[in-house]
């Protein structure tokens, strides 16, 4: 690689931007907390689901974003809830594995643009960032990174 075409003049701002690349902010919508547990029976024989489709979808997105195994995902999610003092528990790794086959995930392959925010609330999954804004201009559904 050759020299950069652009010279950095504001090193303080540049360094802050590099540090902020590793920033992680988590919040959970009150309605998402209320919809974490399944309230209706699936209609088939056997015990009903404990966790809603939103909970399973959320777990699978977190698994993909952080490249976690199912067991590590369960521990990670439980630790996040504990750190945030949220009265939720993660679905077990076996529950996620079984339900992943039946839950309709509403996200697509990685976008070409950068992603600023991945938001999961009671209405589902949303992505905000360069990929989303370009998609909005083209009047298509947003993509997930």
């Amino acid at each position: 690689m050759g020299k950069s075409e652009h010279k950095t003049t504001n090193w303080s701002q540049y360094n802050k931007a590099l540090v902020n690349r590793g920033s992680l902010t988590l919040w959970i919508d009150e309605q998402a907390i209320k919809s974490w547990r399944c309230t209706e029976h699936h209609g088939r024989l056997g015990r009903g689901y404990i966790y809603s489709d939103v909970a399973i979808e959320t777990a699978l997105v977190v698994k993909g974003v952080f490249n976690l195994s199912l067991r590590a995902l369960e521990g990670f999610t439980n630790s996040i809830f504990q750190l945030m003092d949220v009265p939720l528990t993660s679905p077990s790794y076996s529950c996620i594995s079984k339900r992943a086959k039946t839950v309709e995930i509403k996200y697509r392959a990685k976008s070409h643009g950068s992603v600023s925010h991945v938001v999961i609330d009671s209405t589902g999954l949303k992505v905000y960032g360069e990929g989303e804004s370009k998609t909005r201009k083209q009047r298509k559904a947003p993509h997930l990174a």
Side-chain angles (χ1 to χ4, degrees):
M1 288 181 83
K3 287 188 176 183
S4 174
E5 294 180 22
H6 303 284
K7 292 191 178 193
T8 302
T9 57
N10 188 341
W11 285 99
S12 175
Q13 185 180 12
Y14 176 72
N15 285 330
K16 190 172 188 174
L18 291 177
V19 168
N20 286 339
R21 284 184 181 178
S23 175
L24 175 66
T25 303
L26 301 168
W27 73 94
I28 299 175
D29 177 85
E30 283 295 324
Q31 191 60 34
I33 292 172
K34 291 177 184 172
S35 65
W36 191 256
R37 294 224 172 240
C38 193
T39 57
E40 296 179 7
H41 195 274
H42 49 65
R44 297 183 300 273
L45 293 176
R47 183 176 70 179
Y49 295 139
I50 296 171
Y51 296 97
S52 68
D53 286 356
V54 169
I56 302 301
E57 180 180 357
T58 302
L60 291 169
V61 169
V62 170
K63 179 186 184 307
V65 168
F66 292 104
N67 195 26
L68 298 169
S69 68
L70 289 173
R71 286 177 177 85
L73 171 64
E74 181 181 351
F76 178 81
T77 307
N78 280 328
S79 68
I80 293 295
F81 290 154
Q82 185 178 9
L83 288 169
M84 294 179 69
D85 196 27
V86 175
L88 297 176
T89 58
S90 173
S92 69
Y93 65 90
S94 60
C95 171
I96 296 168
S97 176
K98 290 174 189 171
R99 294 280 304 280
K101 299 169 189 164
T102 61
V103 172
E104 182 181 331
I105 306 298
K106 300 170 192 137
Y107 64 88
R108 297 183 182 182
K110 293 184 179 183
S111 70
H112 298 288
S114 63
V115 172
S116 299
H117 303 282
V118 175
V119 178
I120 303 169
D121 62 14
S122 61
T123 62
L125 181 69
K126 297 175 191 71
V127 177
Y128 299 96
E130 182 184 338
E132 189 269 342
S133 62
K134 285 181 180 175
T135 303
R136 192 181 308 157
K137 289 176 187 173
Q138 297 171 359
R139 299 182 185 270
K140 294 181 182 175
H143 297 272
L144 172 65

